[in-house]
Amino acid sequence: MTLNRRAFIGTGAAMAAALAAPAVRASNHGKPRVIVIGGGAGGATAARYIAKDSKGEIDVTLIEPTRMYYTCFFSNLYIGGFRDLSSIGHSYGTLAQSGVNVAHDWATGVDREARTVTLAGGAVLPYDRLILSPGIDFVEDSVSGWDVSAQNKMPHAYKAGSQSELLKAQVEAMPEGGRFAMVAPPNPYRCPPGPYERISMVAHLLKEKNPTAKILLVDPKEKFSKQALFEEGWNRHYAGMIERIGPDFGGDNVSVNPDEMTVDIDGVVEKVDVCNVIPAQKAGRICEMAGITEGNWAPVIPHTMQSRVDENIHVLGDASNQGDMPKSGFSANSQAKVAAMAVRGALLGSNVFPAKFSNTCWSLIEENDGVKVGASYEATDEKIVSVSSFISQTGEDADLRKQTYEESIGWYSGIVSDMFG
Amino acid sequence: MNWKHDRFWGVLATVAGVGLATPVVAEQQDARIGDAEAGKEVYDLCVGCHEVGPDAGNGIGPHLNGIFGRRAGSVEGFRYSKGLSREGRLGMDWTLETLDAYLENPKALVSDTRMSFDGLEDKADRDNVLAYLRQFSDSPQNIPESAPTGRAREVGLSQETLAIAGDPEFGEYLSNECTTCHRIDGTYDGIPGIVGWPEEDFVIAMHAYKRKIRPHPVMQMMAGRLSDEEIAALAAYFGDLE
Ligand SMILES: Cc1cc2nc3c(=O)[nH]c(=O)nc-3n(C[C@H](O)[C@H](O)[C@H](O)COP(=O)(O)OP(=O)(O)OC[C@H]3O[C@@H](n4cnc5c(N)ncnc54)[C@H](O)[C@@H]3O)c2cc1C
């Protein structure tokens, strides 16, 4: 067999173009227009790939309120003291230079009928295809006693930046022998190992500066990702420091009082010095405003990441309900490339290849003690399914763990240059 | 529902079906384990002995919540046959493969099993009931390392593997999966650069990962799902890149 795929693809693409070309293009404009809402792992990647691969044939506008995107990935390493904050902040200059029109504003409305997006600044922008990758917002009242107005007293640090700085400063200011508590989120939430990597990094910081301090992990879930690896690492590196209260002991019945700095676990009130509340999560609010959510998330067609409610909209990353991929930066980046290809196929009739997805999540447990979990995925009509997975093993030697950590540093520099250019 | 893309995918599948290109046919196969709804009916054969779902407990047989990825013979409070306990001690886990073999003929796996069940001869029935049961084990969305919820398409090694002329344009598309980790500017930063790697060396290395001769788990996973043609395309693309 040589290149019959080529011939086949040619045919497929021609049909794709015939079938999927939009009936109407946005207002009197020569080039098709794509608007991307959210310049994070999904949105920045999608904007960059569409601009790059369409070689100027598609107008790409990226809407993102912040001028500096702080990656949640590696924000735990910042808390642990392994990165400084500036190393996880990225601006949009290179994206702008590579042909993406970057608008620093909030999207405040989507008119699906008229195919326009309204910005907080008042502009109304037309689109042929809209890509939504707004990440997460928090479910109100999911932790009784906590709301966003309490996030300075009890930070979530589940959107990176000032929240990460605040949490780190609070941990560093804990009194000798003080108590740190985390209220972990229910499924599904972004970055399944994220809360547990954070516990590790807080423990690392305390071990250095405040070794008699204690960590209380209140968890509504029976189990969590990489559990055996984390528990082995906590025993090895931070013996006696971390206590986890799962649902068997009331970890699923929690309320907090930010003014008193107390956590009520199934009727037992604990006074703490720092409380990291990670609430239940839902798709970024703009999805709900666009009317494309079902429950907390926006359902999508796995082959193209198109909204099941509106085929002119693609939803990426954390906000989407696609099936079995974890909500991670790696996943969002992987989904963005599939969507970028589908969008180019639909608007320009370019080649559309079958979707492939993958994910790997690295976590750092202690200095040079890195672990990872990963899987590959395929699209079915119903959902994205996982087809193979792997995970680091307990008892691995120190060299391998160090190599795994070094690999994560390589991944970080790879993905941010894949997102931002 | 009238999604344009559904028609598109339908067409893709039809075209592939008439035999233009074998690897593409393979890619168009549904990766699902089976049809969970149909599997619920097949499960009627099991309900007399096995409970599954919220509040399921042990009955004549152990409950089946969390069966995927579970060590054989390991549900607390259930008395297993000697044979099944032994398989568990020897390290047998319930996976898609072991469950499929067990359902086809329980005695093939455990000689003195107490599960008095003749077996499901029909592969589709087994696939469907396994798809149904899979819903009651950990979700990979929350626990990424949990058992797969689908089956990877089969990609076989062909004779002419090394002779396949790679298509660099196709390779460029496929390379999107590589550049999440391997920097496209070729710098080494914990992850080796792959830009400008001689084509033939690239092909040999990728096949070594695919056959799990080279040990890296991420690369084994990535290469494991690439067809020969895809490896050739990637080699052509990266080989030419500067
Ligand atoms: C502590 C922690 C550690 C993590 N570690 C890892 C890791 O190691 N590896 C990994 O792969 N993932 C990790 N993640 C997960 C990862 O950060 C997310 O899954 C990923 O960022 C999701 O990408 P996204 O594009 O969906 O959303 P985001 O990256 O959150 O991007 C959303 C963007 O949309 C913008 N936005 C929202 N609403 C609007 C609006 N109305 N108008 C305009 N813009 C808007 C926001 O400002 C934001 O910049 C971690 C997460 C956390 C919290």
Side-chain angles (χ1 to χ4, degrees):
Chain A
M1 175 155 328
T2 48
L3 285 181
N4 11 16
R5 175 192 284 276
R6 191 72 187 256
F8 160 73
I9 287 160
T11 331
M15 281 181 296
L19 289 168
V24 191
R25 292 243 161 108
S27 63
N28 305 327
H29 192 276
K31 291 184 202 167
R33 302 195 203 201
V34 172
I35 295 181
V36 181
I37 298 179
T45 308
R48 181 168 165 268
Y49 271 77
I50 294 172
K52 169 171 88 69
D53 294 338
S54 72
K55 305 191 169 66
E57 292 296 302
I58 296 178
D59 253 10
V60 184
T61 300
L62 175 66
I63 301 166
E64 164 61 50
T66 64
R67 274 154 221 279
M68 185 67 86
Y69 173 85
Y70 288 96
T71 58
C72 283
F73 26 108
F74 276 25
S75 67
N76 286 331
L77 272 62
Y78 156 73
I79 290 171
F82 294 95
R83 302 285 288 215
D84 50 36
L85 193 67
S86 63
S87 78
I88 61 168
H90 305 273
S91 65
Y92 294 87
T94 314
L95 265 189
Q97 285 165 48
S98 60
V100 175
N101 174 19
V102 183
H104 288 300
D105 205 343
W106 287 95
T108 52
V110 174
D111 183 337
R112 296 200 274 116
E113 217 36 32
R115 283 201 229 150
T116 57
V117 172
T118 305
L119 306 187
V124 178
L125 309 176
Y127 65 81
D128 296 298
R129 285 283 166 128
L130 175 62
I131 295 179
L132 283 171
S133 193
I136 53 143
D137 272 307
F138 299 120
V139 175
E140 274 155 47
D141 299 324
S142 71
V143 177
S144 146
W146 191 94
D147 64 26
V148 180
S149 70
Q151 70 175 10
N152 273 17
K153 287 179 180 142
M154 293 189 170
H156 52 78
Y158 233 59
K159 299 183 183 186
S162 54
Q163 276 279 305
S164 324
E165 276 184 287
L166 185 63
L167 185 64
K168 182 175 167 71
Q170 289 181 355
V171 174
E172 285 173 333
M174 273 168 63
E176 202 184 314
R179 303 178 86 194
F180 171 97
M182 171 191 282
V183 179
N187 289 324
Y189 58 93
R190 64 169 29 165
C191 195
Y196 311 97
E197 182 186 55
R198 171 159 310 155
I199 290 289
S200 312
M201 291 295 95
V202 168
H204 169 81
L205 199 60
L206 290 173
K207 189 171 137 187
E208 282 187 337
K209 304 197 167 169
N210 189 350
T212 54
K214 293 274 182 276
I215 295 174
L216 190 61
L217 165 56
V218 189
D219 201 334
K221 304 180 295 296
E222 249 164 57
K223 27 175 160 168
F224 57 88
S225 178
K226 299 181 186 162
Q227 184 161 359
L229 296 166
F230 280 115
E231 288 177 349
E232 178 195 52
W234 294 346
N235 271 331
R236 181 181 317 145
H237 305 299
Y238 314 114
M241 198 179 221
I242 302 166
E243 186 192 352
R244 175 170 177 267
I245 301 180
D248 302 0
F249 296 92
D252 56 350
N253 180 22
V254 184
S255 65
V256 296
N257 184 331
D259 294 324
E260 305 288 330
M261 284 306 288
T262 56
V263 186
D264 180 325
I265 307 156
D266 213 21
V268 180
V269 178
E270 304 278 356
K271 179 106 178 85
V272 298
D273 299 292
V274 178
C275 188
N276 176 201
V277 175
I278 308 176
Q281 297 161 27
K282 60 178 183 179
R285 242 176 62 73
I286 190 73
C287 291
E288 201 178 324
M289 289 157 74
I292 56 164
T293 50
E294 250 168 45
N296 285 336
W297 310 100
V300 296
I301 295 165
H303 303 286
T304 57
M305 302 300 292
Q306 268 163 306
S307 161
R308 289 207 188 260
V309 178
D310 185 332
E311 61 183 349
N312 295 313
I313 299 181
H314 299 246
V315 190
L316 307 178
D318 295 353
S320 67
N321 175 7
Q322 32 67 28
D324 291 340
M325 295 183 80
K327 299 183 186 301
S328 76
F330 201 123
S331 295
N333 171 270
S334 170
Q335 293 158 9
K337 293 167 189 175
V338 166
M341 175 184 59
V343 165
R344 282 195 303 120
L347 297 178
L348 299 177
S350 59
N351 291 342
V352 178
F353 302 105
K356 272 187 205 268
F357 303 95
S358 54
N359 175 62
T360 302
C361 287
W362 285 267
S363 303
L364 187 60
I365 302 176
E366 166 61 302
E367 186 165 12
N368 288 324
D369 191 1
V371 292
K372 63 188 167 186
V373 61
S376 59
Y377 305 86
E378 286 183 24
T380 72
D381 291 345
E382 181 189 327
K383 61 173 185 172
I384 295 179
V385 296
S386 77
V387 293
S388 71
S389 64
F390 69 86
I391 181 165
S392 296
Q393 300 301 304
T394 51
E396 285 171 348
D397 68 33
D399 283 349
L400 179 54
R401 289 295 176 88
K402 180 161 185 278
Q403 187 188 321
T404 303
Y405 169 57
E406 282 165 1
E407 217 171 78
S408 74
I409 298 172
W411 163 75
Y412 186 89
S413 81
I415 192 171
V416 296
S417 71
D418 206 38
M419 288 163 63
F420 298 106
Chain B
M1 239 177 290
N2 180 22
W3 300 111
K4 282 180 192 153
H5 110 273
D6 277 345
R7 282 158 59 202
F8 167 53
W9 281 92
V11 174
L12 264 186
T14 327
V15 173
V18 298
L20 270 178
T22 327
V24 177
V25 175
E27 276 168 341
Q28 296 307 316
Q29 280 167 0
D30 194 335
R32 290 185 312 166
I33 298 170
D35 177 344
E37 258 174 62
K40 191 171 191 303
E41 280 168 33
V42 180
Y43 189 71
D44 284 345
L45 293 168
C46 320
V47 284
C49 300
H50 291 285
E51 293 180 20
V52 73
D55 310 318
N58 295 333
I60 297 171
H63 74 80
L64 299 180
N65 290 345
I67 178 93
F68 282 81
R70 188 159 87 195
R71 184 52 47 96
S74 71
V75 169
E76 243 172 79
F78 188 80
R79 252 190 73 241
Y80 290 92
S81 65
K82 280 209 183 94
L84 201 68
S85 304
R86 187 185 55 237
E87 296 306 326
R89 279 195 305 275
L90 288 174
M92 186 173 84
D93 291 331
W94 290 123
T95 63
L96 212 48
E97 291 71 33
T98 52
L99 282 168
D100 183 66
Y102 196 53
L103 285 184
E104 183 176 15
N105 180 0
K107 296 221 161 24
L109 226 57
V110 185
S111 302
D112 66 346
T113 178
R114 279 204 292 271
M115 185 161 91
S116 56
F117 180 63
D118 288 343
L120 279 173
E121 232 174 274
D122 185 1
K123 173 94 166 74
D125 282 347
R126 296 198 303 275
D127 284 348
N128 294 345
V129 81
L130 287 171
Y132 172 70
L133 281 177
R134 181 63 190 82
Q135 302 172 318
F136 304 99
S137 293
D138 291 336
S139 156
Q141 185 184 29
N142 305 322
I143 312 253
E145 63 268 31
S146 64
T149 49
R151 287 198 178 103
R153 64 200 163 86
E154 306 265 317
V155 283
L157 276 172
S158 75
Q159 286 297 318
E160 315 96 51
T161 299
L162 287 172
I164 290 175
D167 173 349
E169 187 196 338
F170 185 44
E172 181 176 8
Y173 158 67
L174 293 168
S175 76
N176 292 349
E177 276 213 305
C178 315
T179 54
T180 305
C181 298
H182 297 277
R183 291 186 56 153
I184 196 73
D185 61 14
T187 43
Y188 179 95
D189 193 359
I191 290 186
I194 53 175
V195 167
W197 197 351
E199 211 170 317
E200 197 180 316
D201 295 359
F202 188 107
V203 171
I204 290 169
M206 257 359 85
H207 282 289
Y209 282 123
K210 189 167 157 173
R211 288 157 57 205
K212 303 200 193 300
I213 299 167
R214 285 193 180 210
H216 198 274
V218 178
M219 283 311 303
Q220 286 181 355
M221 176 182 87
M222 301 308 285
R225 60 212 282 258
L226 294 171
S227 68
D228 302 347
E229 207 183 19
E230 288 170 333
I231 289 175
L234 279 166
Y237 173 68
F238 280 113
D240 281 351
L241 218 60
E242 295 190 352

